[in-house]
Amino acid sequence: YNTPVTISASANAGYVFSRWEGDVAHPNAAQTTVMMNAPKTVHAVFDVLLTVAVEPNGAGTTEPEVGTHEYAYQEVVNLSATAYPGYAFSHWEGDVADPNSAQTMVTMDGPQAVTAVFSGVVVSLTLIAEEGGTTIPEPGVYGGYNYGDVQDIEAVAGFGYDFGGWTGDVDAVDDPSAEQTSVTLNGDVTLTATFVPETRALTVDVYPPGAGTVDLPVAGDYAYNTQVDLDPANVTANEGYQFDHWEANGANLGATS
């Protein structure tokens, strides 16, 4: 009677000492004493360890965070997984309620180890060429890129056309105004290479100078291959002259063209 008895608690693998329940000197110490001044019953209470991991490393985050955590026996713990850019949640490994859901639960009926598994995002590049040219790679859909891959692209104008710029998901393009540039694939990207007809300047003169006037609103820039009608009715010859023919770059076009 009135004898102090030393008691101690040792946790098995996957458990950690939590506290004593009962009339002990230090309930939070694994080793303590009980004063036997009456019949006594004490319980050693152990928490259960949950180990959380991510695969591959750096692919995402979890809640609870990666590491080891203590929970009461039979406690239900909510789990969530969030992918970093370039990855997508795939599944949980371990004894969870729904391994295919990024948000699920685990019951701590014993030591638990769970792993959030992520997979790399595969993205595609779609290239379209408007009339007047093509692209390198040639127009089409290209899959199998990993998130963040960089692809060189080029717009090639056909004869009589100029490159007009890239349109579409141009935020992914290094320089949307450049024929040769690169695209960073942080997701599916669709780009269109635009082309515009080349222009040619038409200048109307009179020869010899002072021989007459031409009343034609035709001078200016024209798209490549545009036909311009020239009518002698719009030519007024000064006194002592008469209209003879049209010339273009030294070639005689005749009186009407």
Side-chain angles (χ1 to χ4, degrees):
Y1 183 82
N2 272 349
T3 301
V5 177
T6 300
I7 57 175
S8 63
S10 298
N12 291 333
Y15 294 86
V16 63
F17 173 77
S18 174
R19 65 190 186 279
W20 291 98
E21 291 182 350
D23 186 14
V24 300
H26 302 288
N28 295 318
Q31 182 171 309
T32 186
T33 59
V34 179
M35 181 61 68
M36 297 305 298
N37 52 10
K40 299 289 179 73
T41 299
V42 296
H43 297 279
V45 179
F46 297 88
D47 284 341
V48 190
L49 296 182
L50 169 65
T51 302
V52 182
V54 166
E55 183 183 324
N57 288 331
T61 62
T62 60
E63 181 60 40
E65 64 184 14
V66 171
T68 301
H69 307 272
E70 301 176 15
Y71 294 97
Y73 182 72
Q74 293 291 6
E75 184 175 351
V76 176
V77 180
N78 292 321
L79 301 172
S80 66
T82 303
Y84 284 144
Y87 291 90
F89 173 77
S90 174
H91 62 278
W92 289 97
E93 291 180 350
D95 188 17
V96 301
D98 186 352
N100 296 315
S101 174
Q103 295 182 334
T104 186
M105 298 176 295
V106 59
T107 300
M108 300 304 295
D109 52 6
Q112 300 284 5
V114 297
T115 300
V117 180
F118 300 89
S119 58
V121 174
V122 178
V123 296
S124 66
L125 170 63
T126 301
L127 292 177
I128 302 169
E130 288 187 349
E131 179 182 357
T134 187
T135 61
I136 299 175
E138 66 183 16
V141 179
Y142 299 88
Y145 290 100
N146 293 321
Y147 183 95
D149 281 353
V150 177
Q151 172 67 52
D152 291 332
I153 56 175
E154 182 177 355
V156 182
F159 186 75
Y161 286 86
D162 289 324
F163 175 62
W166 296 97
T167 62
D169 298 321
V170 294
D171 286 345
V173 180
D174 183 54
D175 185 354
S177 64
E179 295 172 76
Q180 294 181 333
T181 186
S182 62
V183 55
T184 301
L185 295 154
N186 289 334
D188 294 331
V189 174
T190 298
L191 294 171
T192 299
T194 65
F195 302 92
V196 294
E198 293 180 355
T199 58
R200 298 291 189 270
L202 174 62
T203 303
V204 180
D205 292 322
V206 173
Y207 184 82
T213 58
V214 179
D215 184 19
L216 287 176
V218 294
D221 293 332
Y222 288 88
Y224 180 80
N225 266 349
T226 300
Q227 177 176 304
V228 180
D229 293 328
L230 303 175
D231 190 343
N234 296 103
V235 178
T236 302
N238 290 338
E239 185 176 354
Y241 294 91
Q242 66 178 12
F243 173 71
D244 186 66
H245 64 276
W246 299 99
E247 286 186 4
N249 295 333
N252 190 328
L253 302 181
T256 60
S257 182

